[in-house]
Amino acid sequence: GERKSKHFALASSLCNTDNMVSITVTLYTLFEKAINEAYPDVTDPPIIIAPSNNSKFGDYQCNSALPLCKLLSSTNLEGKQRILPKDVAEKIVSKVSSSPLIEKLEVAAAGFINICLKHEFAQIVLKNILKNNKICAPPIIRKRKVIVDFSSPNVAKEMHVGHLRSTIIGDSICRLLEFLGHNVLRLNHIGDWGTQFGMLIAHLEDKFPNYSTESPPISDLQSFYKESKIRFDNDEEFKKRAYANVVKLQACEPKIIQAWKLICDVSKQEFQSIYDRLNVNLIERGESYYQKHMENLVKDLETKQFLEEDDGRKIMWGENKNGIPLTVIKRDGGFTYDTSDLAALKQRIMEEGAEWIIYVTDGGQATHFQTIISCAKRAKIVLSCHRVDHVGFGVVLGEDKKKFKTRSGDTVKLSDLLDEGLKRAEQKLKEKERDKVLTEREFNLAKESIAYGCIKYADLCHNRNHEYVFSFDKMLEDKGNTAVYLLYALTRIRSIARMANITRDQIKETVDVTPISLDHPKEWQLAKVILKFPDIVMKIAKDLCLHSLCEFCYEIACTFTEFYDNCYCVEKNQTGEIVKVNMGRILLTEATAMMLEKCLTLLGLNSVEKM
Ligand code: ARG
């Protein structure tokens, strides 16, 4: 079934101009068929397809012959005749069916099969991009309902750089999956429920007794939290009242709920201003949403005898009963972070119909999610048709390689961090005297694009599993794999057609009559990079590692520079008048700009016309 559907997706994508074809998948399928035909007795033969890193060896390579040869030699002991990789390769090549992708196949001495792609194929793909005026995704086998749980800060506590990382990575994952055509629900699992509200409400009752009629001035929830914590730790009567409030809150007593809402709203407004600045969309659905679900879940787990008594607590073990169990009910009868996550997972699968769930948090929570998933499997909430990922990430460090803090040792306020980014971006633009060429509006757009873009990009371009050093100096460098370099590269590429006075409409008209120029090696090299896009996004859909998309952006920009340095797009005479426009190259330039812009958009970066 799997193989058939793959063939089907491939066949339909080749005639459907709206999808971009994955070269690797196409070649894989072709060679898989050829190898199975050539060696029907070998089960699971190695199918190895990769882009060639030297044009001497074609555009792609199939490197299956060597391992296949070893496999054949080891099983074919009595027939003493030596098998050569080269012969294996020849045999494979003889079985490869003709394809609109392949110009020719060559067998190199060591048995490598060099694959040369057809230029016409690349021309069709690039032409489609320009005609559709958009980059289309590779086809997916099945559209899935995906829930991405990300950002998720906690009420009355500071939203910190860890939450910023989750916000940036989560948003980009959503953008990518939405682009692929999945049905994505972006959930902000805010920490808005739990015992801390008991003391916050008790403190609110004392400080602002008429909070139900007059909204209390508690914009600084941080210190409000600290004050109440001190009282909680030192005042027995206060502590008792705090606990009583937790019970009342969970019973949804109106007055207490009102106080709770007041406190939550203060935090939520603050969070929202960060999301607005970063242009991130999220649906708020905090832990509190699952109160009823937790009660029902616990009843269900009790009946099914999944819960075990452990020193007054009720715990649940995962599938193999190893590692650590979940604490489902605390000694005082309350629920925990574990309870809400298990209940939320069940709700998401059973009620939302989610088929794929992704959690984006720091790597420190990996064990928590492993245990949640394991228990959910044991309770038959998560079945084999579901995919559940924990997308972990490393801690953010300061330039001193220690945990990212302000000079005085406090957690950095995100709004301050974004402000600092704006200030630094402004300085950078002024250093380059951009304020003298841009209008005020253009300048401000460029400033925001750079500031938020560089913060996002610096995060995304590192392997998310590693810790990363937050440094404005580094992220604002205009050379190397940085947002500034790429945003600037894009405006430069875009300006080529503009400077030659070629309009969007002209490009559209030209596409049908002028072939995209691919004969020069640098043109071909650039085209091949663009054609890798489907493979890049499909890989990310598997491993959810966005740095490959950043590397791809950088590869586009660098390859473009090489092309532009070697190939005239516009020729001018000594007085600077345009004497010749190479339209075949302008078309390639436009397709490059569209591809780079698409990738930056998937990363959550906002490109500008001028900077
Ligand atoms: N509020 C948590 C924190 O700040 C993150 C929540 C992540 N999502 C989840 N479903 N547990 O660490």
PDB file of all heavy atoms in Angstrom, residues 149-154 158 160 163 166 187-192 287 337 340-341 344 348 359-362 365 368-369, ligand 1:
ATOM      1  N   ASP A 149       1.693  22.566  20.221  1.00  0.00           N
ATOM      2  CA  ASP A 149       1.601  23.159  21.563  1.00  0.00           C
ATOM      3  C   ASP A 149       2.918  23.902  21.778  1.00  0.00           C
ATOM      4  O   ASP A 149       3.962  23.282  21.912  1.00  0.00           O
ATOM      5  CB  ASP A 149       1.400  21.977  22.530  1.00  0.00           C
ATOM      6  CG  ASP A 149       1.460  22.327  24.014  1.00  0.00           C
ATOM      7  OD1 ASP A 149       2.281  23.172  24.404  1.00  0.00           O
ATOM      8  OD2 ASP A 149       0.698  21.713  24.789  1.00  0.00           O
ATOM      9  N   PHE A 150       2.856  25.225  21.722  1.00  0.00           N
ATOM     10  CA  PHE A 150       4.116  25.979  21.831  1.00  0.00           C
ATOM     11  C   PHE A 150       3.943  27.306  22.553  1.00  0.00           C
ATOM     12  O   PHE A 150       2.829  27.685  22.882  1.00  0.00           O
ATOM     13  CB  PHE A 150       4.747  26.169  20.449  1.00  0.00           C
ATOM     14  CG  PHE A 150       4.025  27.120  19.508  1.00  0.00           C
ATOM     15  CD1 PHE A 150       4.564  28.356  19.197  1.00  0.00           C
ATOM     16  CD2 PHE A 150       2.826  26.748  18.920  1.00  0.00           C
ATOM     17  CE1 PHE A 150       3.914  29.229  18.321  1.00  0.00           C
ATOM     18  CE2 PHE A 150       2.172  27.612  18.038  1.00  0.00           C
ATOM     19  CZ  PHE A 150       2.714  28.853  17.738  1.00  0.00           C
ATOM     20  N   SER A 151       5.045  27.947  22.806  1.00  0.00           N
ATOM     21  CA  SER A 151       5.147  29.195  23.579  1.00  0.00           C
ATOM     22  C   SER A 151       4.835  28.897  25.052  1.00  0.00           C
ATOM     23  O   SER A 151       5.714  28.745  25.856  1.00  0.00           O
ATOM     24  CB  SER A 151       4.250  30.296  23.028  1.00  0.00           C
ATOM     25  OG  SER A 151       4.613  31.510  23.626  1.00  0.00           O
ATOM     26  N   SER A 152       3.542  28.824  25.384  1.00  0.00           N
ATOM     27  CA  SER A 152       3.090  28.345  26.691  1.00  0.00           C
ATOM     28  C   SER A 152       3.802  28.899  27.924  1.00  0.00           C
ATOM     29  O   SER A 152       4.340  28.146  28.741  1.00  0.00           O
ATOM     30  CB  SER A 152       3.159  26.803  26.724  1.00  0.00           C
ATOM     31  OG  SER A 152       2.543  26.261  25.591  1.00  0.00           O
ATOM     32  N   PRO A 153       3.774  30.225  28.102  1.00  0.00           N
ATOM     33  CA  PRO A 153       4.345  30.808  29.329  1.00  0.00           C
ATOM     34  C   PRO A 153       3.391  30.606  30.509  1.00  0.00           C
ATOM     35  O   PRO A 153       2.308  30.049  30.343  1.00  0.00           O
ATOM     36  CB  PRO A 153       4.465  32.289  28.978  1.00  0.00           C
ATOM     37  CG  PRO A 153       3.397  32.513  27.950  1.00  0.00           C
ATOM     38  CD  PRO A 153       3.256  31.240  27.181  1.00  0.00           C
ATOM     39  N   ASN A 154       3.816  31.053  31.668  1.00  0.00           N
ATOM     40  CA  ASN A 154       3.005  30.871  32.870  1.00  0.00           C
ATOM     41  C   ASN A 154       2.509  32.202  33.407  1.00  0.00           C
ATOM     42  O   ASN A 154       3.250  33.176  33.444  1.00  0.00           O
ATOM     43  CB  ASN A 154       3.838  30.167  33.943  1.00  0.00           C
ATOM     44  CG  ASN A 154       4.389  28.859  33.433  1.00  0.00           C
ATOM     45  OD1 ASN A 154       3.670  28.033  32.885  1.00  0.00           O
ATOM     46  ND2 ASN A 154       5.693  28.679  33.563  1.00  0.00           N
ATOM     47  N   GLU A 158       7.479  35.434  34.854  1.00  0.00           N
ATOM     48  CA  GLU A 158       8.050  36.079  33.668  1.00  0.00           C
ATOM     49  C   GLU A 158       8.065  35.137  32.466  1.00  0.00           C
ATOM     50  O   GLU A 158       8.403  33.962  32.585  1.00  0.00           O
ATOM     51  CB  GLU A 158       9.473  36.529  34.007  1.00  0.00           C
ATOM     52  CG  GLU A 158      10.071  37.519  33.023  1.00  0.00           C
ATOM     53  CD  GLU A 158       9.422  38.897  33.103  1.00  0.00           C
ATOM     54  OE1 GLU A 158       9.762  39.669  34.008  1.00  0.00           O
ATOM     55  OE2 GLU A 158       8.585  39.184  32.233  1.00  0.00           O
ATOM     56  N   HIS A 160      10.059  34.059  29.631  1.00  0.00           N
ATOM     57  CA  HIS A 160      11.513  34.225  29.478  1.00  0.00           C
ATOM     58  C   HIS A 160      12.032  33.746  28.124  1.00  0.00           C
ATOM     59  O   HIS A 160      11.246  33.331  27.270  1.00  0.00           O
ATOM     60  CB  HIS A 160      12.239  33.526  30.632  1.00  0.00           C
ATOM     61  CG  HIS A 160      11.840  32.090  30.822  1.00  0.00           C
ATOM     62  ND1 HIS A 160      12.170  31.113  29.909  1.00  0.00           N
ATOM     63  CD2 HIS A 160      11.104  31.476  31.791  1.00  0.00           C
ATOM     64  CE1 HIS A 160      11.684  29.952  30.323  1.00  0.00           C
ATOM     65  NE2 HIS A 160      11.015  30.141  31.451  1.00  0.00           N
ATOM     66  N   HIS A 163      10.720  30.570  26.650  1.00  0.00           N
ATOM     67  CA  HIS A 163       9.416  30.688  25.991  1.00  0.00           C
ATOM     68  C   HIS A 163       9.561  31.366  24.628  1.00  0.00           C
ATOM     69  O   HIS A 163       8.814  31.062  23.697  1.00  0.00           O
ATOM     70  CB  HIS A 163       8.433  31.472  26.862  1.00  0.00           C
ATOM     71  CG  HIS A 163       8.143  30.796  28.170  1.00  0.00           C
ATOM     72  ND1 HIS A 163       8.400  31.400  29.377  1.00  0.00           N
ATOM     73  CD2 HIS A 163       7.655  29.567  28.447  1.00  0.00           C
ATOM     74  CE1 HIS A 163       8.058  30.561  30.351  1.00  0.00           C
ATOM     75  NE2 HIS A 163       7.603  29.444  29.813  1.00  0.00           N
ATOM     76  N   SER A 166      10.630  28.707  22.248  1.00  0.00           N
ATOM     77  CA  SER A 166       9.480  27.864  21.921  1.00  0.00           C
ATOM     78  C   SER A 166       8.553  28.587  20.943  1.00  0.00           C
ATOM     79  O   SER A 166       8.029  27.990  20.008  1.00  0.00           O
ATOM     80  CB  SER A 166       8.730  27.504  23.198  1.00  0.00           C
ATOM     81  OG  SER A 166       7.535  26.845  22.884  1.00  0.00           O
ATOM     82  N   LEU A 187      -1.737  25.895  19.538  1.00  0.00           N
ATOM     83  CA  LEU A 187      -2.234  26.067  20.898  1.00  0.00           C
ATOM     84  C   LEU A 187      -1.193  26.618  21.866  1.00  0.00           C
ATOM     85  O   LEU A 187      -0.055  26.156  21.910  1.00  0.00           O
ATOM     86  CB  LEU A 187      -2.747  24.734  21.447  1.00  0.00           C
ATOM     87  CG  LEU A 187      -4.044  24.184  20.854  1.00  0.00           C
ATOM     88  CD1 LEU A 187      -4.477  22.934  21.623  1.00  0.00           C
ATOM     89  CD2 LEU A 187      -5.163  25.219  20.860  1.00  0.00           C
ATOM     90  N   ASN A 188      -1.634  27.622  22.613  1.00  0.00           N
ATOM     91  CA  ASN A 188      -0.795  28.190  23.657  1.00  0.00           C
ATOM     92  C   ASN A 188      -1.249  27.583  24.986  1.00  0.00           C
ATOM     93  O   ASN A 188      -2.277  27.949  25.536  1.00  0.00           O
ATOM     94  CB  ASN A 188      -0.981  29.709  23.664  1.00  0.00           C
ATOM     95  CG  ASN A 188       0.093  30.410  24.458  1.00  0.00           C
ATOM     96  OD1 ASN A 188       1.007  29.771  24.994  1.00  0.00           O
ATOM     97  ND2 ASN A 188      -0.004  31.737  24.538  1.00  0.00           N
ATOM     98  N   HIS A 189      -0.471  26.637  25.468  1.00  0.00           N
ATOM     99  CA  HIS A 189      -0.824  25.904  26.684  1.00  0.00           C
ATOM    100  C   HIS A 189      -0.316  26.685  27.903  1.00  0.00           C
ATOM    101  O   HIS A 189       0.614  26.273  28.595  1.00  0.00           O
ATOM    102  CB  HIS A 189      -0.182  24.514  26.617  1.00  0.00           C
ATOM    103  CG  HIS A 189      -0.680  23.525  27.609  1.00  0.00           C
ATOM    104  ND1 HIS A 189      -1.871  22.855  27.473  1.00  0.00           N
ATOM    105  CD2 HIS A 189      -0.135  23.062  28.756  1.00  0.00           C
ATOM    106  CE1 HIS A 189      -2.034  22.028  28.498  1.00  0.00           C
ATOM    107  NE2 HIS A 189      -0.997  22.139  29.300  1.00  0.00           N
ATOM    108  N   ILE A 190      -0.958  27.808  28.145  1.00  0.00           N
ATOM    109  CA  ILE A 190      -0.519  28.706  29.216  1.00  0.00           C
ATOM    110  C   ILE A 190      -0.656  28.043  30.587  1.00  0.00           C
ATOM    111  O   ILE A 190      -1.643  27.340  30.845  1.00  0.00           O
ATOM    112  CB  ILE A 190      -1.354  30.008  29.186  1.00  0.00           C
ATOM    113  CG1 ILE A 190      -1.088  30.763  27.882  1.00  0.00           C
ATOM    114  CG2 ILE A 190      -1.069  30.882  30.381  1.00  0.00           C
ATOM    115  CD1 ILE A 190      -1.841  32.060  27.786  1.00  0.00           C
ATOM    116  N   GLY A 191       0.318  28.260  31.450  1.00  0.00           N
ATOM    117  CA  GLY A 191       0.222  27.777  32.823  1.00  0.00           C
ATOM    118  C   GLY A 191      -0.679  28.713  33.616  1.00  0.00           C
ATOM    119  O   GLY A 191      -0.217  29.684  34.207  1.00  0.00           O
ATOM    120  N   ASP A 192      -1.991  28.446  33.584  1.00  0.00           N
ATOM    121  CA  ASP A 192      -2.932  29.375  34.212  1.00  0.00           C
ATOM    122  C   ASP A 192      -3.764  28.668  35.293  1.00  0.00           C
ATOM    123  O   ASP A 192      -4.879  29.057  35.591  1.00  0.00           O
ATOM    124  CB  ASP A 192      -3.870  29.968  33.149  1.00  0.00           C
ATOM    125  CG  ASP A 192      -4.741  28.898  32.497  1.00  0.00           C
ATOM    126  OD1 ASP A 192      -4.536  27.692  32.784  1.00  0.00           O
ATOM    127  OD2 ASP A 192      -5.626  29.256  31.708  1.00  0.00           O
ATOM    128  N   GLU A 287      -3.934  25.510  30.852  1.00  0.00           N
ATOM    129  CA  GLU A 287      -4.165  24.309  31.662  1.00  0.00           C
ATOM    130  C   GLU A 287      -5.567  24.283  32.265  1.00  0.00           C
ATOM    131  O   GLU A 287      -6.171  23.229  32.433  1.00  0.00           O
ATOM    132  CB  GLU A 287      -3.108  24.239  32.779  1.00  0.00           C
ATOM    133  CG  GLU A 287      -1.705  23.950  32.267  1.00  0.00           C
ATOM    134  CD  GLU A 287      -0.643  24.090  33.358  1.00  0.00           C
ATOM    135  OE1 GLU A 287      -0.997  24.113  34.553  1.00  0.00           O
ATOM    136  OE2 GLU A 287       0.539  24.190  32.992  1.00  0.00           O
ATOM    137  N   TYR A 337       1.007  18.904  36.896  1.00  0.00           N
ATOM    138  CA  TYR A 337       1.400  19.172  35.501  1.00  0.00           C
ATOM    139  C   TYR A 337       1.222  17.898  34.668  1.00  0.00           C
ATOM    140  O   TYR A 337       0.777  17.934  33.527  1.00  0.00           O
ATOM    141  CB  TYR A 337       2.875  19.608  35.524  1.00  0.00           C
ATOM    142  CG  TYR A 337       3.451  20.137  34.226  1.00  0.00           C
ATOM    143  CD1 TYR A 337       2.826  21.168  33.526  1.00  0.00           C
ATOM    144  CD2 TYR A 337       4.659  19.637  33.732  1.00  0.00           C
ATOM    145  CE1 TYR A 337       3.382  21.673  32.354  1.00  0.00           C
ATOM    146  CE2 TYR A 337       5.223  20.133  32.564  1.00  0.00           C
ATOM    147  CZ  TYR A 337       4.577  21.145  31.874  1.00  0.00           C
ATOM    148  OH  TYR A 337       5.136  21.645  30.731  1.00  0.00           O
ATOM    149  N   SER A 340      -2.547  17.311  33.921  1.00  0.00           N
ATOM    150  CA  SER A 340      -3.116  18.181  32.890  1.00  0.00           C
ATOM    151  C   SER A 340      -2.576  17.798  31.515  1.00  0.00           C
ATOM    152  O   SER A 340      -3.307  17.852  30.527  1.00  0.00           O
ATOM    153  CB  SER A 340      -2.855  19.647  33.200  1.00  0.00           C
ATOM    154  OG  SER A 340      -1.480  19.906  33.192  1.00  0.00           O
ATOM    155  N   ASP A 341      -1.346  17.372  31.431  1.00  0.00           N
ATOM    156  CA  ASP A 341      -0.825  16.999  30.123  1.00  0.00           C
ATOM    157  C   ASP A 341      -1.440  15.711  29.594  1.00  0.00           C
ATOM    158  O   ASP A 341      -1.701  15.593  28.396  1.00  0.00           O
ATOM    159  CB  ASP A 341       0.709  16.911  30.139  1.00  0.00           C
ATOM    160  CG  ASP A 341       1.330  18.186  29.605  1.00  0.00           C
ATOM    161  OD1 ASP A 341       0.708  18.831  28.731  1.00  0.00           O
ATOM    162  OD2 ASP A 341       2.419  18.568  30.066  1.00  0.00           O
ATOM    163  N   ALA A 344      -4.942  16.659  28.582  1.00  0.00           N
ATOM    164  CA  ALA A 344      -4.926  17.470  27.362  1.00  0.00           C
ATOM    165  C   ALA A 344      -4.665  16.596  26.139  1.00  0.00           C
ATOM    166  O   ALA A 344      -5.298  16.752  25.094  1.00  0.00           O
ATOM    167  CB  ALA A 344      -3.868  18.559  27.463  1.00  0.00           C
ATOM    168  N   ARG A 348      -7.160  16.207  23.042  1.00  0.00           N
ATOM    169  CA  ARG A 348      -6.719  16.575  21.698  1.00  0.00           C
ATOM    170  C   ARG A 348      -6.948  15.448  20.698  1.00  0.00           C
ATOM    171  O   ARG A 348      -7.300  15.692  19.549  1.00  0.00           O
ATOM    172  CB  ARG A 348      -5.239  16.969  21.736  1.00  0.00           C
ATOM    173  CG  ARG A 348      -5.051  18.312  22.438  1.00  0.00           C
ATOM    174  CD  ARG A 348      -3.622  18.582  22.821  1.00  0.00           C
ATOM    175  NE  ARG A 348      -3.552  19.833  23.568  1.00  0.00           N
ATOM    176  CZ  ARG A 348      -2.426  20.391  23.982  1.00  0.00           C
ATOM    177  NH1 ARG A 348      -1.263  19.791  23.729  1.00  0.00           N
ATOM    178  NH2 ARG A 348      -2.452  21.533  24.639  1.00  0.00           N
ATOM    179  N   TYR A 359       4.902  19.025  20.780  1.00  0.00           N
ATOM    180  CA  TYR A 359       5.156  19.886  21.935  1.00  0.00           C
ATOM    181  C   TYR A 359       6.497  20.573  21.738  1.00  0.00           C
ATOM    182  O   TYR A 359       7.486  19.894  21.444  1.00  0.00           O
ATOM    183  CB  TYR A 359       5.251  19.068  23.217  1.00  0.00           C
ATOM    184  CG  TYR A 359       4.001  18.288  23.568  1.00  0.00           C
ATOM    185  CD1 TYR A 359       3.874  16.953  23.201  1.00  0.00           C
ATOM    186  CD2 TYR A 359       2.965  18.890  24.272  1.00  0.00           C
ATOM    187  CE1 TYR A 359       2.742  16.229  23.531  1.00  0.00           C
ATOM    188  CE2 TYR A 359       1.816  18.168  24.606  1.00  0.00           C
ATOM    189  CZ  TYR A 359       1.720  16.839  24.233  1.00  0.00           C
ATOM    190  OH  TYR A 359       0.589  16.125  24.560  1.00  0.00           O
ATOM    191  N   VAL A 360       6.528  21.865  21.907  1.00  0.00           N
ATOM    192  CA  VAL A 360       7.794  22.582  21.771  1.00  0.00           C
ATOM    193  C   VAL A 360       8.192  23.165  23.126  1.00  0.00           C
ATOM    194  O   VAL A 360       7.605  24.153  23.576  1.00  0.00           O
ATOM    195  CB  VAL A 360       7.693  23.708  20.715  1.00  0.00           C
ATOM    196  CG1 VAL A 360       9.069  24.291  20.424  1.00  0.00           C
ATOM    197  CG2 VAL A 360       7.041  23.202  19.435  1.00  0.00           C
ATOM    198  N   THR A 361       9.121  22.526  23.798  1.00  0.00           N
ATOM    199  CA  THR A 361       9.621  23.047  25.082  1.00  0.00           C
ATOM    200  C   THR A 361      11.124  22.781  25.179  1.00  0.00           C
ATOM    201  O   THR A 361      11.676  22.065  24.350  1.00  0.00           O
ATOM    202  CB  THR A 361       8.975  22.370  26.310  1.00  0.00           C
ATOM    203  OG1 THR A 361       9.598  21.089  26.502  1.00  0.00           O
ATOM    204  CG2 THR A 361       7.481  22.209  26.198  1.00  0.00           C
ATOM    205  N   ASP A 362      11.726  23.319  26.218  1.00  0.00           N
ATOM    206  CA  ASP A 362      13.151  23.065  26.414  1.00  0.00           C
ATOM    207  C   ASP A 362      13.409  21.572  26.627  1.00  0.00           C
ATOM    208  O   ASP A 362      12.528  20.836  27.084  1.00  0.00           O
ATOM    209  CB  ASP A 362      13.661  23.868  27.608  1.00  0.00           C
ATOM    210  CG  ASP A 362      12.984  23.458  28.894  1.00  0.00           C
ATOM    211  OD1 ASP A 362      11.808  23.839  29.095  1.00  0.00           O
ATOM    212  OD2 ASP A 362      13.601  22.738  29.689  1.00  0.00           O
ATOM    213  N   GLN A 365      12.426  19.067  29.550  1.00  0.00           N
ATOM    214  CA  GLN A 365      11.128  18.424  29.766  1.00  0.00           C
ATOM    215  C   GLN A 365      10.975  17.132  28.951  1.00  0.00           C
ATOM    216  O   GLN A 365       9.877  16.575  28.871  1.00  0.00           O
ATOM    217  CB  GLN A 365       9.994  19.396  29.427  1.00  0.00           C
ATOM    218  CG  GLN A 365       9.993  20.617  30.335  1.00  0.00           C
ATOM    219  CD  GLN A 365       8.691  21.417  30.257  1.00  0.00           C
ATOM    220  OE1 GLN A 365       7.610  20.864  30.149  1.00  0.00           O
ATOM    221  NE2 GLN A 365       8.804  22.725  30.324  1.00  0.00           N
ATOM    222  N   HIS A 368       9.596  14.178  30.885  1.00  0.00           N
ATOM    223  CA  HIS A 368       8.177  14.394  31.178  1.00  0.00           C
ATOM    224  C   HIS A 368       7.318  13.945  30.006  1.00  0.00           C
ATOM    225  O   HIS A 368       6.369  13.174  30.172  1.00  0.00           O
ATOM    226  CB  HIS A 368       7.937  15.869  31.513  1.00  0.00           C
ATOM    227  CG  HIS A 368       6.491  16.274  31.482  1.00  0.00           C
ATOM    228  ND1 HIS A 368       5.598  15.925  32.482  1.00  0.00           N
ATOM    229  CD2 HIS A 368       5.771  16.964  30.568  1.00  0.00           C
ATOM    230  CE1 HIS A 368       4.392  16.407  32.182  1.00  0.00           C
ATOM    231  NE2 HIS A 368       4.473  17.035  31.015  1.00  0.00           N
ATOM    232  N   PHE A 369       7.677  14.403  28.803  1.00  0.00           N
ATOM    233  CA  PHE A 369       6.849  14.071  27.643  1.00  0.00           C
ATOM    234  C   PHE A 369       6.968  12.597  27.246  1.00  0.00           C
ATOM    235  O   PHE A 369       5.993  11.989  26.833  1.00  0.00           O
ATOM    236  CB  PHE A 369       7.143  15.021  26.479  1.00  0.00           C
ATOM    237  CG  PHE A 369       6.553  16.380  26.704  1.00  0.00           C
ATOM    238  CD1 PHE A 369       7.364  17.464  26.996  1.00  0.00           C
ATOM    239  CD2 PHE A 369       5.182  16.578  26.669  1.00  0.00           C
ATOM    240  CE1 PHE A 369       6.813  18.718  27.241  1.00  0.00           C
ATOM    241  CE2 PHE A 369       4.622  17.831  26.913  1.00  0.00           C
ATOM    242  CZ  PHE A 369       5.445  18.905  27.196  1.00  0.00           C
TER     243      PHE A 369
HETATM  244  N1  ARG B   1       4.182  26.238  30.923  1.00  0.00           N
HETATM  245  C1  ARG B   1       5.246  25.311  30.708  1.00  0.00           C
HETATM  246  C2  ARG B   1       6.592  25.964  31.054  1.00  0.00           C
HETATM  247  O1  ARG B   1       6.688  27.152  31.163  1.00  0.00           O
HETATM  248  C3  ARG B   1       5.311  24.819  29.288  1.00  0.00           C
HETATM  249  C4  ARG B   1       4.111  24.054  28.830  1.00  0.00           C
HETATM  250  C5  ARG B   1       4.400  23.220  27.641  1.00  0.00           C
HETATM  251  N2  ARG B   1       3.267  22.494  27.176  1.00  0.00           N
HETATM  252  C6  ARG B   1       2.736  21.441  27.771  1.00  0.00           C
HETATM  253  N3  ARG B   1       1.707  20.872  27.247  1.00  0.00           N
HETATM  254  N4  ARG B   1       3.226  20.972  28.912  1.00  0.00           N
HETATM  255  O2  ARG B   1       7.571  25.266  31.221  1.00  0.00           O
END
